[in-house]
Amino acid sequence: MSTPAMLQLGLFLLVLIALAWPLGAYMTRVMQGENVGPLRFAAPLERAFYRLAGIKQDDEMGWRGYAVALILFNILGVIALYALQRLQGALPFNPQALGAVSPDSSFNTAISFVTNTNWQGYGGETTMSYLTQMLGLTVQNFVSAATGAAVVIALIRGFARHSSAKIGNFWVDVTRMTLYVLLPLSLIFALAFSQQGVIQNLSAYQDVHTVEAVKYQQAKLDAEGKPALDQNGKPVMEDKTSQTQTLPMGPVASQEAIKLLGTNGGGFFNANSAHPYENPTPLSNFLQVIAIFLIPAALCFLFGRMVGDRRQGWAILAAMTIMFAAAVYAVTSAEQAGVPQYGSMGIDQRAGALQSGGNMEGKEARFGVIDTSLFIAVTTSASCGAVNAMHDSLTPLGGMVPTFLMQLGEVVFGGVGSGLYGMLIFAILAVFIAGLMVGRTPEYLGKKIETYEMKMTAITILVTPTLVLALTAVAVSVGAGQAGILNPGAHGFSEVLYAFTSAANNNGSAFAGLSANTPFYNIMTGIAMFFGRFFMIVPILAIAGSLAAKKRLAVTGGTLPTHGPLFVALLIGTVLLVGALNYVPALALGPVVEHLQMVAGR
């Protein structure tokens, strides 16, 4: 890893912590219903919404009521988004007259955006109308992120409260997170992105003249509109010349802001943050990676404040940061090393004046290896899924890093709320393991960790590996799954493994070499996304309810400190051990084999 890469990583972490610390303090006040300072003018709006919706602000819920409200809210979101896609051809704000999205793609996309995954098997600029993008996808970007934040707030209340049957009000938590946190931050970042050149309009797509004429070939069509075939059954090609190019337009900056802040990841354009209209400059690229990590990092500070010991939040943040820095080092080193075969092909991989050298395949020249590698580590650490390069073009080990980051459960910062609640589940497991080693009943933050909590923890941790490995096995075993693999062999297996890892862990990024916009993959990844999201949330809320009902234990000489370096090391070891036990055999069949083949020159 080069010196410029290390300097950029240091700058990134410094800016992140400087912004996340005050945001965490602000969010604590918001979620506890305290005076929200400059945004107090929105309080009447909040109260008006509660009256209109028939919500009693002070009526808190037990964990079962919280879970039911959450699931019903998200199921209604799936239905609404599915209907919007199917009807978009008859709805306004559709200057390109785009027709209805297919049933299987609508099903997949509806689940994808509601679960904060934003897996996209379609090209945004050629599939979705402006209304679908704004009213459907962007709205779900807000409420899916707010849902994840609500769950972690409920879990933190479980630790902070004692002898209580209540963990909060789901509707109040979602409203406050959206109104006081996500909306203001999105406005700020949308303006910053617009200043950098991200477009924001409702214009029809623009046809412009190119400087040079482009010559190409395409299949000749017969009278029925089908490709004409020669005597050998091959398409008859004809020469074409074009001197125009269609430039897509749209309300991009507003969607881009919440796509990143909410760790959603769904791009307005098919190329996502590699598209110059979504991510035009190195500065916009840096702002994007900051936006992805900002709220997950701030939630660590919120956690410390709400449980009454800020050191607890710093410990969680330290564990996340160490694993993230190691991931950046690994992916950057792999990509800067490049591909051995390039030398024999006469391709120069040395560092130039503006580039970092190494493997530039699938990367934007305006970002280079360093900026791209940081983005890759951030987006797959944070369950965001936004991409500024084609992950399918990474070196084998470079591609294994983001895959393994997702397989850790998206707890290295992770999504809004989901990253912290996943890490807290690992913290419960870590203190349980420590308790077994010393023969003492485990406890965390003054709460005994007993049989019920460990059963729910086991369910939470095993849900995603079960989905990933089982669905990957099905996909590589049946014809419909094999048909989407364009690169047979170890890389093709990596593509399928990455797809289901991304879906079940609610990330949304992909190895683009897999043709996933088929009924088979749309349905299978939809199943992975739905159960990967809600089969984790329900047992986590059950843990929150159980912990809230417990009495707080006094700290004694036998209590394991959970704010020091020893606990940070134990937590990191637990996360890595669980990830390795679940996925190393599958990784060996994919990226490890592919790396050995690359080294051998095959």
Side-chain angles (χ1 to χ4, degrees):
M1 184 173 174
S2 63
T3 299
M6 290 188 286
L7 291 174
Q8 177 171 259
L9 174 60
L11 175 63
F12 169 74
L13 293 174
L14 182 64
V15 173
L16 176 67
I17 293 173
L19 294 175
W21 184 78
L23 178 60
Y26 166 77
M27 288 170 58
T28 304
R29 297 171 61 192
V30 166
M31 301 313 294
Q32 291 182 332
E34 299 177 12
N35 190 308
V36 289
L39 293 180
R40 58 180 175 270
F41 69 87
L45 178 62
E46 180 189 1
R47 291 192 294 269
F49 170 75
Y50 295 149
R51 287 195 297 269
L52 182 65
I55 297 169
K56 294 183 179 179
Q57 182 176 350
D58 297 326
D59 283 357
E60 294 198 343
M61 305 171 176
W63 78 264
R64 290 179 179 85
Y66 204 100
V68 169
L70 183 151
I71 291 173
L72 288 177
F73 176 67
N74 283 274
I75 288 176
L76 288 174
V78 171
I79 295 171
L81 185 50
Y82 179 86
L84 187 60
Q85 293 175 84
R86 298 291 293 143
L87 297 172
Q88 75 170 11
L91 296 173
F93 294 102
N94 187 7
Q96 299 307 116
L98 298 172
V101 183
S102 67
D104 58 289
S105 183
S106 296
F107 167 81
N108 181 277
T109 303
I111 292 178
S112 176
F113 277 77
V114 168
T115 59
N116 200 241
T117 309
N118 295 44
W119 171 274
Q120 294 176 288
Y122 59 88
E125 65 268 48
T126 59
T127 307
M128 300 296 183
S129 69
Y130 292 167
L131 184 67
T132 303
Q133 295 270 18
M134 294 185 294
L135 182 60
L137 307 187
T138 303
V139 168
Q140 287 303 321
N141 283 348
F142 278 97
V143 296
S144 65
T147 296
V151 174
V152 78
I153 295 298
L155 179 59
I156 295 171
R157 290 193 187 110
F159 287 112
R161 294 179 177 181
H162 58 89
S163 303
S164 173
K166 307 295 184 181
I167 60 171
N169 186 309
F170 171 74
W171 308 112
V172 172
D173 291 342
V174 168
T175 300
R176 287 177 176 167
M177 187 67 189
T178 303
L179 184 61
Y180 296 114
V181 179
L182 295 175
L183 277 170
L185 286 175
S186 295
L187 177 61
I188 294 170
F189 274 89
L191 291 173
F193 291 147
S194 294
Q195 190 278 329
Q196 285 296 296
V198 179
I199 64 172
Q200 178 76 14
N201 59 56
L202 293 174
S203 304
Y205 291 6
Q206 305 295 310
D207 291 325
V208 298
H209 287 280
T210 58
V211 176
E212 296 180 352
V214 177
K215 296 181 179 180
Y216 61 98
Q217 287 189 324
Q218 71 176 27
K220 187 176 182 180
L221 303 180
D222 59 21
E224 298 179 357
K226 298 179 180 179
L229 304 179
D230 60 19
Q231 58 185 4
N232 296 320
K234 296 182 178 180
V236 177
M237 306 302 291
E238 59 180 350
D239 294 327
K240 291 283 186 178
T241 301
S242 174
Q243 202 161 359
T244 62
Q245 179 181 357
T246 300
L247 299 180
M249 299 284 106
V252 180
S254 55
Q255 181 168 319
E256 191 73 9
I258 188 58
K259 147 193 162 180
L260 301 161
L261 286 164
T263 60
N264 297 283
F268 193 97
F269 302 111
N270 189 38
N272 207 283
S273 288
H275 198 292
Y277 284 178
E278 282 198 40
N279 189 10
T281 67
L283 178 57
S284 71
N285 191 75
F286 188 79
L287 291 174
Q288 291 200 6
V289 290
I290 288 291
I292 292 171
F293 266 11
L294 183 57
I295 296 177
L299 284 169
C300 293
F301 295 111
L302 175 147
F303 168 65
R305 289 174 178 270
M306 286 189 67
V307 299
D309 184 354
R310 298 184 187 183
R311 297 173 300 176
Q312 303 293 337
W314 279 105
I316 296 294
L317 182 65
M320 291 178 173
T321 302
I322 291 169
M323 288 188 284
F324 168 70
V328 174
Y329 178 87
V331 70
T332 304
S333 298
E335 294 306 298
Q336 286 183 326
V339 181
Q341 286 77 8
Y342 281 0
S344 61
M345 298 168 63
I347 299 175
D348 189 359
Q349 298 185 82
R350 294 175 298 175
L354 298 177
Q355 298 295 347
S356 55
N359 175 33
M360 279 296 294
E361 181 187 348
K363 298 178 178 63
E364 288 295 309
R366 64 185 184 276
F367 302 138
V369 169
I370 293 177
D371 286 1
T372 302
S373 297
L374 178 63
F375 201 110
I376 289 168
V378 168
T379 195
T380 50
S381 293
S383 79
C384 181
V387 295
N388 72 345
M390 297 301 102
H391 289 195
D392 202 38
S393 296
L394 297 174
T395 61
L397 295 184
M400 186 176 74
V401 173
T403 305
F404 191 59
L405 280 171
M406 293 185 290
Q407 290 171 344
L408 292 178
E410 295 285 28
V411 297
V412 183
F413 289 93
V416 170
S418 61
L420 181 55
Y421 68 60
M423 184 61 90
L424 292 176
I425 293 300
F426 276 108
I428 291 174
L429 180 59
V431 298
F432 175 75
I433 293 172
L436 290 179
M437 289 191 292
V438 299
R440 177 184 170 86
T441 301
E443 58 185 77
Y444 185 48
L445 300 179
K447 298 297 180 72
K448 279 188 178 182
I449 306 302
E450 298 175 300
T451 303
Y452 182 79
E453 289 79 27
M454 289 314 303
K455 287 180 179 179
M456 294 300 104
T457 295
I459 292 172
T460 302
I461 290 175
L462 293 176
V463 164
T464 50
T466 301
L467 288 169
V468 171
L469 298 176
L471 294 177
T472 299
V474 171
V476 299
S477 301
V478 301
Q482 295 171 1
I485 301 175
L486 303 182
N487 300 287
H491 189 74
F493 178 81
S494 296
E495 291 174 344
V496 176
L497 178 65
Y498 191 103
F500 286 108
T501 297
S502 175
N505 288 281
N506 302 130
N507 182 273
S509 62
F511 273 16
L514 180 69
S515 295
N517 192 14
T518 64
F520 174 84
Y521 279 107
N522 280 333
I523 293 171
M524 297 290 276
T525 54
I527 291 171
M529 289 183 285
F530 185 86
F531 290 107
R533 175 76 160 181
F534 298 110
F535 270 33
M536 281 190 67
I537 284 177
V538 173
I540 286 171
L541 291 175
I543 292 172
S546 176
L547 293 174
K550 293 177 182 287
K551 295 181 178 179
R552 185 176 300 279
L553 303 175
V555 176
T556 67
T559 301
L560 172 68
T562 54
H563 55 261
L566 178 61
F567 178 73
V568 171
L570 177 62
L571 181 56
I572 293 173
T574 302
V575 173
L576 296 178
L577 180 62
V578 171
L581 290 175
N582 283 321
Y583 292 107
V584 162
L587 292 171
L589 293 174
V592 174
V593 168
E594 187 182 1
H595 175 74
L596 295 176
Q597 290 175 332
M598 182 187 74
V599 172
R602 296 168 57 188

